Amino acid sequence: MVPYSSRRLSEINGRRVSPGDEICVIEEFLPGPGTFEDDGIVRSALTGIVNADLMTRVVFVKPLVREPKIPERGDIVYGVVQVVRDEFAIIKIIGDYQGRRYSVPYTGLLHISQATEKYVKNLYDVLRMGDVVKAKVLSSCLPYNLTLKEYRLGVVMAFCGKCGERLVKSGSEVLKCPACGNVEHRKISSDYGVIRVTL
């Protein structure tokens, strides 16, 4: 092993690098995450900041750009209903339960069997196009399978099918339009009216 000095360590640690930049030689540190070895030289595989661990003798590059957050199985998400058919709905997933918006919208699919615990003839009895829903992610790949079956899940914001006014809760599954008096049915979330993500 090459004798190591604190001066050399300070030259490596905290350095900003781009892909292909030389970091050190293999005798100094082994390549870790964000690095690769090229003919005895440890190089950066991405743009970031170099960190060297003297105990394990491993060097790695911490990326400057954060990886985009994506929905994961078990996550509670907010989405806007794009398409409703008798047996399925397509939902544009826009953010997570903490109110963080995704950098790009993701496609979610709600099957009628995951809409509610009760029997429904078609999805029009559960939600409509333009509704904002709070759903749970059931899968880990696109399109994300969603469910509304839990008490806290369901429609959190809906608009009148006649005049477009925002509907207000008027019962466990009933929404009423304050402008025209139209009554509509949905699978309503226990958090109806509470939306943590900006639309």
Side-chain angles (χ1 to χ4, degrees), residues 48-158:
I49 305 295
V50 177
N51 282 299
D53 187 338
L54 200 51
M55 293 291 267
T56 60
R57 305 292 285 197
V58 173
V59 67
F60 61 95
V61 176
K62 185 176 178 184
L64 284 178
V65 179
R66 289 187 308 180
E67 290 185 21
K69 178 154 175 45
I70 61 171
E72 294 179 16
R73 185 186 309 221
D75 283 357
I76 303 297
V77 295
Y78 287 100
V80 179
V81 179
Q82 301 290 294
V83 175
V84 181
R85 297 289 182 260
D86 287 347
E87 295 189 354
F88 71 92
I90 297 173
I91 296 169
K92 181 171 71 171
I93 302 169
I94 56 172
D96 67 12
Y97 187 65
Q98 282 79 34
R100 292 178 300 220
R101 225 179 141 80
Y102 294 120
S103 54
V104 294
Y106 294 95
T107 302
L109 186 64
L110 175 70
H111 188 265
I112 193 168
S113 64
Q114 291 296 328
T116 179
E117 294 288 356
K118 299 188 302 186
Y119 171 78
V120 287
K121 194 173 174 180
N122 61 57
L123 275 178
Y124 295 101
D125 297 332
V126 177
L127 44 75
R128 307 279 172 89
M129 199 168 76
D131 286 354
V132 179
V133 297
K134 183 162 76 166
K136 186 176 185 177
V137 179
L138 297 177
S139 62
S140 53
C141 59
L142 283 168
Y144 293 102
N145 292 322
L146 304 174
T147 184
L148 301 180
K149 280 187 169 182
E150 296 175 24
Y151 174 69
R152 63 189 172 147
L153 305 178
V155 175
V156 291
M157 186 167 68

